Amino acid sequence: MTAERKEDLDRKYISDRTDPGLLIFAGTTEGRLLAEYAADSGMRCWVSTATEYGKSLLDNLPGIEAVCGRMDEEKIRAFIRERKLSLVIDATHPFAVRATECIRKACLAENTEYVRCVRELHEEKKSLAVSGKKNPDESEKEHRIVEVKSVAEAVDYLKQTEGNILIATGSRDLAMYTEIPDYRKRCFARVLSTRESVEKSVSLGFEGKHLIAMQGPFSVDMNLAVLRQTEASYFVTKESGHAGGFEEKEEAAAGAGAVLIVIGRTEERGMSLEETKRVIDAFGQRSGKDKNGFRRACMCRGLC
């Protein structure tokens, strides 16, 4: 069966059904795993991704209709109404604050059950205040971790350092790193292997060996190889949790003797991956698609 034929059949299969519908906002490992779980459960489900690459990872899931493109609050509301959706799961990236806010507001406005699937924080990282010195002192070298609150704060720190920098915080905020003196020589950007990410990076002056386009998460060995290839003294990453490969980045930085600069995130209220799977089970049971029992909770899971 061709991909086009499968997509037509899936769309007809989903649209012809009248049981309650589910929408998953993906873009993370958790989102893909939840989509696979929903597919196995046989329920009426749509999965929204921001990029074509993200959609391509879901195209072969049976019974799932994957849609691509960013949606604002009004588009989300219309999507919910037109498909008569009863449950929306927000499994977007921990740092996609605007997207989460739009999804949450749309669900509240449409009186649709909302679940925020949150990624667990990495609890073992050590915090070290920004020193403002040109190079790490002995205390910093021992800890090898600098925790900051934002990309802007990371850039301010890096302005006062010397040595190469491996940036793994995505292309969205890459422009901020151009404020670092000699950034074209010092900085190496690792971004997603999408046309949008690559073109944006090149337009900012990250090209040739200073631009690495790869899809993560990465193993310790891969991170270590890139750090050594770029001769990086600093490795900038977001606190991406276990699913985002944070532990592997931390171990690789230590192995390469690089200072790990971690952009922290505010702890969110919501449900873990396993808890969210149980919500899907319960939703399927209400739709006649699951054998597990369920007692309905409030409409705003993860908000109250």
Side-chain angles (χ1 to χ4, degrees):
M1 183 185 298
T2 65
E4 292 79 7
R5 176 60 175 162
K6 176 188 175 299
E7 186 174 346
D8 289 341
L9 290 174
D10 284 348
R11 185 177 293 110
K12 185 177 187 303
Y13 171 71
I14 292 175
S15 61
D16 286 350
R17 290 167 58 180
T18 58
D19 48 308
L22 161 68
L23 170 61
I24 299 173
F25 283 91
T28 59
T29 300
E30 291 87 349
R32 177 178 55 79
L33 292 174
L34 290 171
E36 292 173 352
Y37 193 78
D40 290 341
S41 300
M43 57 189 61
R44 198 166 66 103
C45 180
W46 285 262
V47 182
S48 174
T49 66
T51 66
E52 284 291 344
Y53 177 79
K55 179 177 179 295
S56 71
L57 299 177
L58 306 168
D59 279 340
N60 292 324
L61 293 180
I64 299 293
E65 183 173 346
V67 295
C68 173
R70 293 177 172 84
M71 291 191 279
D72 59 18
E73 182 182 341
E74 290 305 315
K75 288 183 179 179
I76 296 172
R77 292 186 62 180
F79 197 95
I80 291 172
R81 288 196 303 270
E82 291 168 4
R83 292 158 181 80
K84 299 180 175 60
L85 302 177
S86 301
L87 172 64
V88 173
I89 295 176
D90 176 8
T92 56
H93 196 277
F95 287 88
V97 179
R98 292 180 183 177
T100 288
E101 185 66 9
C102 284
I103 299 166
R104 183 186 66 82
K105 286 183 177 180
C107 290
L108 288 174
E110 295 299 320
N111 196 34
T112 301
E113 186 173 5
Y114 169 87
V115 172
R116 174 59 170 148
C117 179
V118 297
R119 181 175 292 179
E120 294 182 7
L121 286 166
H122 179 59
E123 298 179 352
E124 296 181 357
K125 49 175 210 308
K126 299 176 182 178
S127 175
L128 182 64
V130 173
S131 68
K133 299 177 182 178
K134 287 210 167 188
N135 282 298
D137 59 21
E138 290 307 314
S139 174
E140 287 172 309
K141 286 180 180 178
E142 180 182 351
H143 287 84
R144 286 291 179 186
I145 296 179
V146 175
E147 185 177 4
V148 295
K149 297 179 181 178
S150 64
V151 171
E153 192 171 323
V155 169
D156 286 342
Y157 173 80
L158 290 166
K159 286 179 182 178
Q160 304 173 71
T161 64
E162 297 174 354
N164 290 349
I165 304 162
L166 176 59
I167 301 166
T169 54
S171 61
R172 182 173 182 177
D173 300 313
L174 199 55
M176 301 179 71
Y177 293 94
T178 62
E179 299 175 11
I180 298 172
D182 295 325
Y183 81 92
R184 290 174 185 264
K185 295 181 179 180
R186 294 184 60 198
C187 295
F188 297 78
R190 188 171 72 184
V191 301
L192 288 175
S193 54
T194 63
R195 176 178 295 181
E196 180 183 4
S197 295
V198 171
E199 289 181 348
K200 181 175 182 180
S201 302
V202 171
S203 71
L204 292 170
F206 295 89
E207 54 188 341
K209 67 179 183 180
H210 291 266
L211 178 60
I212 304 163
M214 302 174 70
Q215 172 65 38
F218 304 101
S219 66
V220 174
D221 289 341
M222 178 60 75
N223 283 314
L224 190 56
V226 175
L227 285 166
R228 287 174 174 167
Q229 177 66 30
T230 58
E231 298 181 338
S233 298
Y234 300 90
F235 186 9
V236 192
T237 183
K238 293 180 179 178
E239 201 294 283
S240 52
H242 176 72
F246 181 82
E247 290 92 345
E248 289 80 359
K249 295 172 187 174
E250 185 176 21
E251 185 175 340
V259 175
L260 186 67
I261 300 178
V262 182
I263 300 170
R265 58 186 169 97
T266 304
E267 188 170 3
E268 291 185 87
R269 297 180 64 182
M271 294 189 173
S272 68
L273 176 63
E274 292 305 314
E275 289 171 333
T276 306
K277 286 181 179 180
R278 289 197 288 272
V279 171
I280 292 177
D281 287 339
F283 179 77
Q285 188 274 333
R286 299 202 300 274
S287 305
K289 295 292 177 181
D290 191 84
K291 298 180 180 179
N292 297 321
F294 176 73
R295 183 176 65 184
R296 188 180 180 91
C298 72
M299 296 291 289
C300 301
R301 298 176 186 271
L303 293 179
C304 58

